[in-house]
Amino acid sequence: MSNETKLIFQHSRPGRGANAQAPKPVSEDQLSAIPASLRRKQKPGLPEVSELDVVRHYTNLSSKNFAIDKQFYPLGSCTMKYNPRGANRAAMLPGFLARHPLAPASHSQGYLACLYDLQNFLKEVTGMKGVSLAPMAGAQGEFAGVAMIRAYHDARNDDGRTEILIPEAAHGTNPATAVMCGYKVREVPVGKDGDVDLEALKQACGPQTAGLMMTNPSTCGVFERQIEAIAKTVHDAGGLLYYDGANLNAILGKVRPGDMGFDVIHMNLHKTFATPHGGGGPGAGPVGVSQRLLPYLPTPMAGLDEDSGEYSWIDTDTLPTSIGHLSAFMGNAGVLLRAYFYAMVLGREGMIRVGEYSTLAANYLLKRLQQVGYTAAYPERRASHEFILTLAKEAKELNVTAMDVAKRLLDYNQHAPTTYFPLLVPECLLIEPTETESKEAMDDFIAAMEAILHEAKTDPDMVKEAPFTQPVRRLDDVKAARELDLTWSE
Amino acid sequence: MPYIPHTPDDVSAMLDAIGAERIEDLFDEIPAHLKAGSSLDALPEGRGEMEVTRLMAERAEQDRYALSFLGGGAYQHHIPAAVWEIATRGEFYTAYTPYQAEASQGTLQVIYEYQTLIARLTGMDVANASVYDGASGLAEAVLMALRANRKSKSNRVLVPEALNPRYRSACDAIVRNQDVALDTVPFCGQAGQTLADSLSQYEGQDYAALVISQPNYFGSLEDVDALTDWAHANSMLVIAVVNPTSLALLTPPGEWGSEGADIVVGEGQPLGIPLSSGGPYFGFMACKQKHVRQMPGRIIGRTVDLEGKQGFTLTLQAREQHIRRSKATSNICTNQGLAMTAATIYMSLIGPDGLASVAGHCHANTQKLADKLTAIDGVERAFTAPTFHEVVLFLPQDADTVLAKLAEKDILGGLSLAKDYGMQNAILVNATEVHTEGDLDLFVAAMKEVLA
Ligand SMILES: Cc1ncc(COP(=O)(O)O)c(C=O)c1O
């Protein structure tokens, strides 16, 4: 691991530069058309460094990261599966990289063909009637989905529907999205077995209900068994059913959101379709809809003229009821191409295997972790592609929290699971191994967890101080927030 | 099994441990009749990396090479080889949001450097990392301005007609759900600019913010000082929409007028991101310190660890959806991290003088192209305002027809303003540092032929 501690600015020396990169300066003469009053008075403070300085600095920084390519990364709800290198190479083919987003369809047939095929692939996999690839991440897919629900009610002049129902275990993007779409949020409680409290849902549903946002398998890591009764309850009240596809990996090839009665869904291609997470993004959050929401899909979409065999864009001029554009151009095109590659390599059989083997891995890991002494949050339930451990007992008896175990895992060269989500399970670790991890990788993780539990019992103070092997020890988050230092100055 | 490592022995060992006979048993909580639809018969059979790569390579080649002068919010620039060689290292490419700070110091330090670079380029105090793109970033800025402007009670924002129409439509699609109205400030048909005069009709009215685009969609440079001061005099915040390349030459928004812009957004694509059909790009967003708690998205702070050593961590998370849920500043979660990483490397490589010379060549090449094209009979500059690296030209014929004929010659000769502005004969043309004199001459010769 590198010990690079300087900032790029600290490598800067006046007059140095990566001189192979920039063209020769233009003369002041050539800039004379720009009024002096609009000209910048001082150079922007970018660093003055050589090409090698830059390459070495960022290469060294990269080595301070955990990543799927280096470690087991069981971050629940994020589906950190292997990101095929072939997908990256295909998306970075010069023909794709050079294409301007507004190039005419005549110069975009190959690209449009990929998008068109991907739309159809996703339709089939999810059982929906139409798909738009436009949203740029899961949260934007949610936005598109709820905006379509709103457009649907508006078109019917059904304007007393002011509320979106959301199970309390839901991801934070769900309530935040509902508010961005102009709705009030009403939370629905979740029962001890991880399923939605159906009676409470029935109470909450009414003429003010615009829809329900659900994740299934839920963020509790279990399949919602009453899904049909839930769908009926919401539909009977005149609301629509939204499917948060963050956990689609678990059910690929097993059961489709369309067949469960969902009206609108989003998918996270950066989870289920193996596109990279890039240290925080980019993602892609395509939306799928049932028949009644087809008119509202976000644009642009890829269309095919069956007679001429030509692909074209479907835009707001041909679909004026659309909720419109969510970005300047066509969303995260390069992510879509990577997902397309993945879909084509896996094909039908591969899709079915994703659901099967991710579920197998999670159930194996859960069972083994229970055997070494951990407590499952929902011990009576099958795991989906992920599951929750609760460390409430350890926190109470040993004063070792979920956070402490997460930090100590880093010392065992294992990325930590998701911690403290969902909020309703105390001291929780949400663990998702994915189908691409070998049994040996999982066994190493199990061994680390077992060792940590032993440490927690014999030397809790040490565990509370972990990690010891990383570039930094635990950080002072309070200081970070109190004494804001968000930019560097000399 | 592509990307799945398990041998038959592994599978039986795992099933044994679970106490299940078949994998199918693990799905016994799903109602059986719901599973019927999933035979997925319409999907193709899987293929190997070689076949899929071949298919995609054929398709990539089908998108014929063309000499392009398209801009409109996405621009061709030289991208140093090192940018993507490093950004696609697995350590950056396959990590996620740096929730575990100790094991993510690489990404976290990159972001801190990025925040610093964007703040310096825009002349603002702080920046986030990041929003999806320039257009959706504008929507976030509008919503942020409504929260931040405590003097205003309105849900209205003034937006220039000369703003990129794609920004306007995406912004509207996002904010209209919260009953936010975007009112249009017309541009001067002669200058191609938004004049302070056209604002007088809004004087004394309650608007939360004025959006100023520098340059505007026509490439024209606005009198940003006058517009900024007018907005502040009328208790509005100023949202600047800027091109990052141009900032090497132009007054940064932090210095506009007497107080500077309040929020700055823009499309980060020109900073080392390939055109790639429109994404992934990234939206950058910066603001004055006093508004930082209203900003959406990830923000990284510098702090110390247990031993007093410098370290970086996510901060001000109480603004974000995973903490605040329905009260969050935005629903954004996954952002454009990798593109932001690439941009950080780009800005470091290109340096302050390099960026100024890129911007200078963009400007000079566009001027030269406009001069050459307007030497053709009947081709004229549409507006009188000075421009940065795009310019609107009037053609003696219908723009869509001319552009289609040029495209047949594999020249993408600009964007038509017919649909967005009803200017049937007008095209928006861009040149950057990548265009050679020969490229410009090819375009001019083709234009002559088409118009003849
Ligand atoms: C359950 C759930 N819903 C929604 C999201 C939001 O997706 P994104 O981060 O792509 O915006 C996530 C992931 O982060 C999630 O885990």
Side-chain angles (χ1 to χ4, degrees), chain A residues 77 137-139 142 171 173-174 215 219 244 246 266 268 270-271, chain B residues 96 333-334:
Chain A
S77 202
E142 291 174 36
H171 195 257
T173 49
N174 291 186
T215 313
T219 47
D244 176 330
H266 87 262
N268 298 62
H270 45 302
K271 301 177 181 181
Chain B
Y96 199 16
C333 178
T334 297

Side-chain angles (χ1 to χ4, degrees), chain B residues 128-418:
Chain B
N128 76 1
S130 54
V131 285
Y132 302 127
D133 78 334
S136 61
L138 176 60
E140 292 283 10
V142 164
L143 296 173
M144 177 177 163
L146 296 178
R147 294 188 296 269
N149 189 342
R150 302 249 156 74
K151 287 191 210 140
S152 166
K153 290 186 187 62
S154 94
N155 250 6
R156 297 188 300 170
V157 168
L158 285 173
V159 177
E161 190 180 6
L163 173 76
N164 187 331
R166 280 169 208 88
Y167 278 47
R168 185 200 182 74
S169 85
C171 181
D172 181 52
I174 294 169
V175 304
R176 69 164 170 251
N177 292 285
Q178 293 181 69
D179 295 324
V180 177
L182 307 176
D183 288 355
T184 304
V185 182
F187 64 91
C188 164
Q190 217 161 29
Q193 277 169 316
T194 311
L195 301 182
D197 275 357
S198 61
L199 289 169
S200 53
Q201 53 173 316
Y202 305 106
E203 213 130 297
Q205 296 189 35
D206 188 4
Y207 282 94
L210 168 70
V211 175
I212 303 175
S213 174
Q214 179 77 320
N216 67 25
Y217 188 60
F218 309 130
S220 303
L221 297 175
E222 302 278 12
D223 183 355
V224 289
D225 293 333
L227 298 174
T228 300
D229 287 342
W230 180 88
H232 286 151
N234 286 279
S235 301
M236 300 173 198
L237 296 185
V238 168
I239 300 172
V241 178
V242 292
N243 174 302
T245 311
S246 77
L247 291 180
L249 291 182
L250 302 179
T251 311
E255 293 170 21
W256 290 0
S258 50
E259 290 169 38
D262 301 280
I263 304 169
V264 181
V265 288
E267 176 53 69
Q269 178 273 330
L271 301 173
I273 317 302
L275 287 170
S276 182
S277 292
Y281 299 168
F282 69 97
F284 60 86
M285 187 163 196
C287 70
K288 289 181 177 161
Q289 183 81 36
K290 65 177 173 194
H291 299 312
V292 68
R293 287 188 162 74
Q294 300 302 337
M295 191 141 68
R298 309 277 183 219
I299 297 176
I300 302 310
R302 189 164 68 129
T303 183
V304 294
D305 73 359
L306 278 178
E307 294 166 358
K309 200 165 143 193
Q310 163 179 286
F312 303 89
T313 186
L314 287 163
T315 195
L316 296 180
Q317 294 189 67
R319 301 163 300 109
E320 294 192 66
Q321 47 74 29
H322 60 285
I323 309 285
R324 282 300 283 287
R325 301 176 71 84
S326 62
K327 304 216 167 49
T329 50
S330 165
N331 67 345
I332 194 165
C333 178
T334 297
N335 48 70
Q336 305 291 115
L338 194 70
M340 175 225 70
T341 302
T344 305
I345 302 168
Y346 175 88
M347 285 186 273
S348 301
L349 280 169
I350 209 81
D353 297 320
L355 195 63
S357 105
V358 169
H361 280 272
C362 289
H363 173 75
N365 261 345
T366 303
Q367 294 285 98
K368 201 187 286 176
L369 177 62
D371 289 346
K372 286 177 190 264
L373 285 169
T374 52
I376 302 172
D377 238 13
V379 180
E380 288 165 25
R381 273 184 182 254
F383 303 121
T384 55
T387 56
F388 172 53
H389 72 350
E390 281 184 287
V391 49
V392 178
L393 301 176
F394 278 136
L395 304 179
Q397 297 170 23
D398 177 73
D400 288 320
T401 316
V402 172
L403 291 173
K405 287 185 188 160
L406 285 168
E408 280 169 25
K409 298 174 182 293
D410 283 338
I411 291 178
L412 307 182
L415 297 168
S416 163
L417 296 189

Side-chain angles (χ1 to χ4, degrees), chain A residues 23-24 58 65 228 381 485, chain B residues 29 33 107 112-113 357 361:
Chain A
K24 302 223 163 17
Y58 289 107
N65 273 0
E228 289 165 290
R381 303 290 309 268
D485 175 353
Chain B
E29 291 188 0
H33 58 280
T107 289
Y112 181 80
E113 293 180 0
S357 105
H361 280 272

Side-chain angles (χ1 to χ4, degrees), chain A residues 170-370:
Chain A
H171 195 257
T173 49
N174 291 186
T177 296
V179 168
M180 282 188 83
C181 290
Y183 284 116
K184 290 204 270 297
V185 173
R186 186 190 289 210
E187 289 208 339
V188 182
V190 170
K192 287 229 166 344
D193 57 0
D195 285 340
V196 164
D197 181 338
L198 190 58
E199 279 317 306
L201 176 69
K202 286 183 178 156
Q203 296 288 315
C205 262
Q208 78 290 351
T209 304
L212 168 73
M213 296 180 84
M214 267 206 65
T215 313
N216 195 16
S218 72
T219 47
C220 297
V222 295
F223 188 84
E224 171 57 67
R225 292 169 293 191
Q226 325 160 91
I227 181 60
E228 289 165 290
I230 291 171
K232 183 165 178 348
T233 305
V234 175
H235 284 150
D236 285 352
L240 298 187
L241 213 60
Y242 183 94
Y243 179 82
D244 176 330
N247 292 344
L248 184 63
N249 214 59
I251 56 166
L252 267 190
K254 286 295 155 205
V255 56
R256 305 187 302 175
D259 300 332
M260 289 190 262
F262 285 96
D263 299 286
V264 50
I265 73 167
H266 87 262
M267 294 152 261
N268 298 62
L269 299 187
H270 45 302
K271 301 177 181 181
T272 317
F273 281 73
T275 70
H277 286 78
V287 281
V289 293
S290 62
Q291 194 73 30
R292 54 183 160 179
L293 292 181
L294 280 174
Y296 310 112
L297 280 168
T299 52
M301 289 179 281
L304 172 64
D305 179 346
E306 303 275 357
D307 295 333
S308 66
E310 293 230 346
Y311 296 94
S312 61
W313 290 109
I314 299 170
D315 213 326
T316 42
D317 39 9
T318 39
L319 191 68
T321 47
S322 160
I323 58 161
H325 280 243
L326 303 171
S327 64
F329 303 111
M330 172 51 222
N332 282 334
V335 178
L336 301 173
L337 290 172
R338 286 170 176 82
Y340 176 64
F341 174 96
Y342 178 78
M344 294 302 284
V345 169
L346 262 60
R348 177 178 167 276
E349 300 255 285
M351 283 290 124
I352 295 171
R353 282 195 291 256
V354 166
E356 291 184 342
Y357 287 92
S358 62
T359 301
L360 175 65
N363 280 283
Y364 171 70
L365 199 50
L366 169 60
K367 186 64 86 182
R368 293 289 315 277
L369 288 170
Q370 285 176 292

